[in-house]
Amino acid sequence: MRRPALAVVALVALAALTAPWLAPYGQAEGVLRDRLLPPGSAGHLLGTDGQGRDLLSRLIWGARPSLLGGVLPVGFALLAGAVLGIAAGLGPRPLENLIMRLLDVLYAFPAVLLAIAIASALGAGPAGTVVSLSIVLTPAVARVVLTEVAAIRSADFMEAARASGARGHVIALRQVVPNVLPAALTYCTALVGLAVVYAAGMSFLGLGVAPPAAEWGSMLNELRQYAFSAPWVAAVPAVVVLVVSAAFTALGHTGGERSVR
């Protein structure tokens, strides 16, 4: 599963980077007389949408905001979760209890509803989506990091570092981070798949990237009205979101299995 998943992720990343040159048409370029063409039509490999815009081109253009909507929140969550998890794992017990209880408060709310509430408060747009998803994903990453820190904080090399008189931040950077980073990165790779779905859902609800800009979730929202008259139109972005999410999840799980071995 690793090679197919890696190939999908690499292909989508390449499409995001080279969209201006790779896409056959502009993301808002369309001809109304060519609306709802089926896949395989001349000049339109995946057909066209309700405004005559090429679906393949819009998928390629939409790869950039869709990937950023999944990768950026996970990156911020990794940074924040690592800081919180290491502070809780190396600090005194009251600090650990305080941090974990604050994270439990976030856990008490369903992730999707919390993200929607935060994004609504911040205002619709990509920035609100990234901030809201970063907040929602941070507790899970912090727990993974704390678990890894708890497994090594009594290890011999940690005791040796403390006995040498090294300060807490030096121990964290030189001893803890290299040991917890592989597990955290593996977990976050799988988490990107979930974040891509969340980001697409936010755009589907009108809280993320706004039309006419191409983004997989907003495309699905625009195309759902054709679910019965031209079902392939609505199915295309949904299948892409599903495949990309599954690829990141499989990549993370495969990496986790290898790290255990």
Side-chain angles (χ1 to χ4, degrees), residues 6-159:
L6 188 59
V8 171
V9 171
L11 182 62
V12 174
L14 179 64
L17 291 173
T18 62
W21 304 278
L22 184 62
Y25 303 91
Q27 60 179 323
E29 181 182 345
V31 180
L32 283 177
R33 68 171 179 270
D34 293 334
R35 64 191 302 270
L36 299 179
L37 292 178
S41 300
H44 303 285
L45 182 62
L46 296 181
T48 59
D49 64 9
Q51 299 182 41
R53 298 173 297 191
D54 182 62
L55 278 178
L56 176 60
S57 298
R58 285 183 61 77
L59 287 175
I60 294 173
W61 282 101
R64 186 174 300 178
S66 298
L67 272 189
L68 288 177
V71 173
L72 285 181
V74 174
F76 290 132
L78 174 61
L79 180 61
V83 171
L84 292 173
I86 293 174
L90 297 183
R93 183 55 61 89
L95 178 61
E96 178 182 353
N97 290 335
L98 175 62
I99 292 175
M100 297 315 297
R101 296 299 79 76
L102 290 175
L103 296 179
D104 286 341
V105 172
L106 296 178
Y107 260 126
F109 299 92
V112 175
L113 294 182
L114 181 59
I116 292 173
I118 296 173
S120 299
L122 295 175
T129 297
V130 171
V131 171
S132 62
L133 292 182
S134 299
I135 294 173
V136 167
L137 299 176
T138 294
V141 179
R143 283 185 176 275
V144 171
V145 173
L146 177 58
T147 300
E148 295 297 316
V149 174
I152 66 170
R153 60 186 169 193
S154 298
D156 291 341
F157 66 88
M158 292 290 289
E159 295 295 339

Side-chain angles (χ1 to χ4, degrees), residues 234-259:
V236 167
V239 170
V240 171
V241 171
L242 177 63
V243 170
V244 172
S245 174
F248 275 107
T249 302
L251 199 58
H253 287 170
T254 304
E257 291 173 2
R258 292 196 172 191
S259 65

